Each structure stands twice: as C-alpha cells, then as structure tokens.
Amino acid sequence: SYYFNSALLKHIASYYGASQIARADNDRAKPRTNTQKVADLFAENNGSATFFFIGNSFNKDTDEGVAKYVLSKGSEIANHSYNHKNAATMDAMTEAEFNKEFEGANALIKEKTGVTPKYWRGGGYAYSERIYEKLEEIEEQLKNGEQTK
C-alpha cells in the first residue's frame, strides 16, 4: 500500500493539475484505519479519491462503515469485484458467477451505502476479452440510465 501524506498530495495536485486520484485500496488492517486516514488526507487537501471495495467484504467486516466514511469525506467508492478473482478464474466461471463479480458487488454496495459504483477493477488487475465485453455492456447501461442488476 502507498503511504500518502499532505505534502505528497499537494505535489501530485500541483504537478498534474488534478485533485482526483483513483486508488485501489487493499487495506486489510482491522479496523481499516489506513483507508480512513487516506480519505482524511484527501479531504484536508481539497482533493478526492476513488476507493475500490471488494463486494463480499461488506458481508464480512467493516467495509460498509469505512465506505460510508470515505463518502462522507467527499471521495468516491467503486467496485473491486465481488470475490477478488483473477482473469483466468473469472473466464472459467459460469455466466451467473461471472455476472455476480460485477452486478452482485454493485447491488451489495448500493444496498449498504446507497451508492451504485461507476467503476470496476478486478482482482490482480483482472482483464480479459470477456471482462471487457461485460464492462462495455455495463457502460452502455449506465449511459442509457439503466441500473445494473
């Protein structure tokens, strides 16, 4: 995990002219204090970030509270798949299992936080032709104002 501090955030913002950073957060400390500290740093420096959450962790630990905290600090939450599987594993899944990695996680995150994630990132940066096709389908649904299942 990256170590963020105020000076680094100010440097990134001034160098890139941006105050938005995407961050896949695999903070597994209990409680997930690193995630909250990073969200605080962005908020303190008038920035925001996109934090990616694994869907099934909302059923197992403190992700729901942490995600709500991140949202309260002005940052965004996104879908880091349902089970954090790699591309080869996902490509071997049944259609129902495969769809759950996207739609199941989105539904659970929305149920727990009220927010439907706009972004997805697979476990281990999982990408394949099948995954790209699914992401294009979801993007089209979002453009048309449709909600994923």
Side-chain angles (χ1 to χ4, degrees):
S1 186
Y2 296 103
Y3 175 75
F4 285 97
N5 62 38
S6 298
L8 177 60
L9 292 179
K10 288 176 185 174
H11 171 75
I12 290 169
S14 65
Y15 184 80
Y16 292 102
S19 61
Q20 177 76 23
I21 296 173
R23 180 170 195 264
D25 188 39
N26 293 324
D27 175 10
R28 287 287 143 221
K30 303 291 183 211
R32 287 180 57 150
T33 55
N34 292 333
T35 301
Q36 293 163 312
K37 288 176 185 175
V38 172
D40 287 340
L41 284 170
F42 277 98
E44 290 164 8
N45 290 280
N46 299 315
S48 62
T50 303
F51 291 82
F52 289 77
F53 287 86
I54 300 168
N56 72 11
S57 62
F58 278 88
N59 287 328
K60 291 193 266 185
D61 59 28
T62 60
D63 274 6
E64 178 181 350
V66 174
K68 287 179 178 177
Y69 185 85
V70 164
L71 290 167
S72 77
K73 293 297 181 177
S75 283
E76 177 177 42
I77 59 174
N79 180 344
H80 193 24
S81 77
Y82 192 85
N83 289 303
H84 202 261
K85 301 295 182 189
N86 63 37
T89 302
M90 288 184 66
D91 281 346
M93 290 177 172
T94 66
E95 196 66 23
E97 292 169 330
F98 183 77
N99 287 334
K100 186 176 184 177
E101 293 299 315
F102 302 89
E103 298 159 356
N106 272 1
L108 187 56
I109 292 169
K110 181 177 182 179
E111 174 190 326
K112 301 291 185 176
T113 67
V115 174
T116 300
K118 295 186 293 186
Y119 304 107
W120 184 90
R121 192 201 119 193
Y125 297 96
Y127 290 100
S128 68
E129 190 63 34
R130 186 179 184 198
I131 291 170
Y132 281 123
E133 288 172 5
K134 183 64 176 179
L135 292 173
E136 288 174 357
E137 176 188 318
I138 292 170
E139 182 180 24
E140 192 63 31
Q141 290 173 343
L142 290 171
K143 284 180 184 176
N144 293 328
E146 301 169 22
Q147 298 218 0
T148 58
K149 298 175 188 173

